[in-house]
Amino acid sequence: MRRVTLCLLLFLATACTSTDKGTTLVLASTTSTQDSGLLDLLTRQFEADNPGTQVKTIAAGSGEVLALGKNKDADVLLMHSPEQETAFMKDGHGVSRQAVMNNEFIIVGPSSDPASASNGGTIQQALALIARSQQTFISRGDDSGTHRQEMQLWSAAGITPTGDWYLESGQGQAETLVVASEKSAYALTDSSTFAVTRSIDNLKALRLVGLRNPYSVIVVNDARNMAAAISFADWLTNSKGQLVIARQGLFTPVTPAGP
Amino acid sequence: MMHALRLLLDGDPYTLEVIATSLKISAVSLAIAIAIGLPLGLALGMTRFAGKGGFLVLVNSAMGLPPVVVGLFVFMALRNDGPFGQAGLLFTPTAMVIAQVPLAVPLIAGITMAAIAALHPDIRLQARGLGAGRIQQARLVAREARPSLVAACIAGFGITISEVGAIIITGGNLLVGGHNYTRTMTTAIVQETRQGRFDRALAFAIILLVLIAIVNIFLTRAQTRR
């Protein structure tokens, strides 16, 4: 019994101390960067380039990412919700905001395209065709960057999406794509998450004019690890971070890095 | 947070629908689980058969089934490509019930079984001596063990109302046409937290705890009434 207790204590002690070495930077990011595997690549390379700094990542919806920033539970944010980011900066919660990379918004749906949505040419027209034919569409419904973009597109098309064809998952992008695949439904998604989500074979990307989805890095005002946060943001927007993004190939870095 | 609580309780249709879905899924799951678990527990507690020991280990182990694992199994079975994909049940309330019943049955059967085993064996021997059949014996035993059987139902209710891992995978936390379809209080708490609306998440949490307490007031009364 005493031996078991001793083991437990040792385990607890190691569990507690293992993170105490050096600085632990807390990075909050939206789900697409984690689902696509980019977040792991970035943090691993950053830790290799900056010995003594560990990066703890939290992947969440835009709302939670911003809340983590406001409460200073995160030091640095990587996200794609331009309007919310602008408001966050205006309210003085961030000290800097820099463009990092882009991917594209796309519409995905059943390969048979029952709404003939690909005839629309643009995403906005495609949504209008889906609404007209009342084919099932599944929305994130979670106030995320992608959901906000979707609502803007509906309103630009002059449509208020209501009715039994319009579903809301309230979950992340990958979960929403799985629901869309199982329900043979259409969905708006970022291209990177669509590229890496598995077991959604029912879905095909529609051929439409692309719509840019910009990602930014924000250093939180009065962050607990301010120096590390600034060096991460600089690293991400300079050649080293940009190269990691370019090599992975799922996002387009803002500054095309040399070889 | 008080503001969120007031908003949620102020006849907000969204909140009421979430609460209704929670109670509906939980009630149906619990009713089916009781219908299977109570007789199963009684039978296991009253009979002796070869290999019973192994069966008891199985039931007891199943009392600790991880909800998310059961959810995954049900998800795989109900997928379009899965063995029961034709039924089109994935992401429906039915799928959530299918996932919750296997979580509640072992709890109800296990507690029932333990309660029966703890009863004085004379009760059944006397009944048998007086010429009672198996069903009559079971009824007598169940009456003697009633507080424990209600405890079994309380445990079953506990898991069906509180569990989130299985139902978010199989139900999908969906609204259809703006109305609730498979979103319960627990899955709504997950979503509100993800969205950074911690006040609304906490408000839902308080409503959930109060509802559990209210249901348990009735169940406890049923347990202690003689």
Side-chain angles (χ1 to χ4, degrees), chain B residues 126-144:
Chain B
Q126 272 179 14
R128 200 190 297 168
L130 292 169
R134 276 189 172 276
I135 302 287
Q136 278 174 307
Q137 283 179 45
R139 217 177 268 167
L140 179 74
V141 166
R143 200 181 305 150
E144 284 302 313

Side-chain angles (χ1 to χ4, degrees), chain A residues 147-223:
Chain A
H147 180 232
R148 283 173 172 246
Q149 178 68 63
E150 181 207 319
M151 297 326 284
Q152 273 176 25
L153 287 160
W154 287 121
S155 110
I159 295 166
T160 311
T162 48
D164 286 348
W165 59 276
Y166 188 74
L167 275 55
E168 292 164 73
S169 74
Q171 297 194 73
Q173 191 62 67
E175 293 93 328
T176 304
L177 288 172
V178 169
V179 178
S181 178
E182 292 295 328
K183 294 244 182 217
S184 296
Y186 291 93
L188 177 75
T189 174
D190 66 280
S191 52
S192 309
T193 308
F194 180 64
V196 294
T197 305
R198 307 288 298 272
S199 308
I200 49 168
D201 308 331
N202 282 345
L203 300 179
K204 292 275 176 300
L206 303 186
R207 276 172 196 276
L208 300 165
V209 178
L211 182 63
R212 218 165 59 98
N213 177 26
Y215 288 71
S216 305
V217 64
I218 293 175
V219 174
V220 171
N221 195 3
D222 204 15

Side-chain angles (χ1 to χ4, degrees), chain B residues 81-106:
Chain B
D81 296 344
F84 303 101
Q86 290 300 313
L89 287 175
L90 192 56
F91 303 126
T92 64
T94 309
M96 298 159 83
V97 170
I98 293 172
Q100 286 204 326
V101 168
L103 293 171
V105 164

Side-chain angles (χ1 to χ4, degrees), chain A residues 64 142 163 166 168-169 182, chain B residues 79-80 173 175 177 193-194:
Chain A
E64 187 177 355
D142 64 349
Y166 188 74
E168 292 164 73
S169 74
E182 292 295 328
Chain B
R79 285 194 62 196
N80 285 334
N173 189 44
L175 303 184
T193 308
R194 250 194 81 245

Side-chain angles (χ1 to χ4, degrees), chain A residues 241-256:
Chain A
Q242 295 283 300
L243 189 63
V244 174
I245 297 167
R247 282 213 180 119
Q248 192 215 19
L250 289 170
F251 298 82
T252 313
V254 283
T255 47

Side-chain angles (χ1 to χ4, degrees), chain B:
Chain B
M1 197 192 75
M2 291 320 292
H3 174 72
L5 196 59
R6 208 175 309 137
L7 182 85
L8 289 181
L9 285 172
D10 203 17
D12 171 34
Y14 172 79
T15 311
L16 295 179
E17 284 182 15
V18 170
I19 295 172
T21 303
S22 266
L23 291 176
K24 194 178 72 186
I25 304 276
S26 172
V28 175
S29 303
L30 183 61
I32 296 173
I34 288 174
I36 301 170
L38 272 190
L40 182 66
L42 280 173
L44 285 173
M46 289 172 58
T47 52
R48 253 185 259 162
F49 55 88
K52 183 179 171 182
F55 210 83
L56 297 189
V57 172
L58 196 73
V59 171
N60 282 335
S61 305
M63 288 172 81
L65 272 178
V68 71
V69 172
V70 175
L72 175 65
F73 288 162
V74 173
F75 175 87
M76 295 307 291
L78 297 183
R79 285 194 62 196
N80 285 334
D81 296 344
F84 303 101
Q86 290 300 313
L89 287 175
L90 192 56
F91 303 126
T92 64
T94 309
M96 298 159 83
V97 170
I98 293 172
Q100 286 204 326
V101 168
L103 293 171
V105 164
L107 280 175
I108 295 171
I111 296 173
T112 304
M113 190 175 76
I116 302 303
L119 282 183
H120 203 284
D122 284 358
I123 294 169
R124 262 177 65 215
L125 290 178
Q126 272 179 14
R128 200 190 297 168
L130 292 169
R134 276 189 172 276
I135 302 287
Q136 278 174 307
Q137 283 179 45
R139 217 177 268 167
L140 179 74
V141 166
R143 200 181 305 150
E144 284 302 313
R146 196 178 70 172
S148 303
L149 301 199
V150 177
C153 297
I154 290 174
F157 171 72
I159 191 150
T160 57
I161 196 79
S162 317
E163 183 282 315
V164 63
I167 54 174
I168 202 163
I169 294 182
T170 53
N173 189 44
L174 295 178
L175 303 184
V176 171
H179 288 285
N180 198 324
Y181 188 54
T182 57
R183 190 170 294 174
T184 65
M185 282 182 276
T186 54
T187 66
I189 290 171
V190 170
Q191 182 188 340
E192 300 288 1
T193 308
R194 250 194 81 245
Q195 288 183 225
R197 302 197 292 204
F198 306 130
D199 51 346
R200 286 180 60 96
L202 275 171
F204 265 124
I206 290 169
I207 295 173
L208 177 58
L209 290 174
V210 167
L211 276 172
I212 291 175
I214 291 173
V215 171
N216 274 306
I217 288 172
F218 287 106
L219 289 175
T220 309
R221 215 177 268 173
Q223 187 178 30
T224 49
R225 196 177 49 219
R226 276 274 137 187

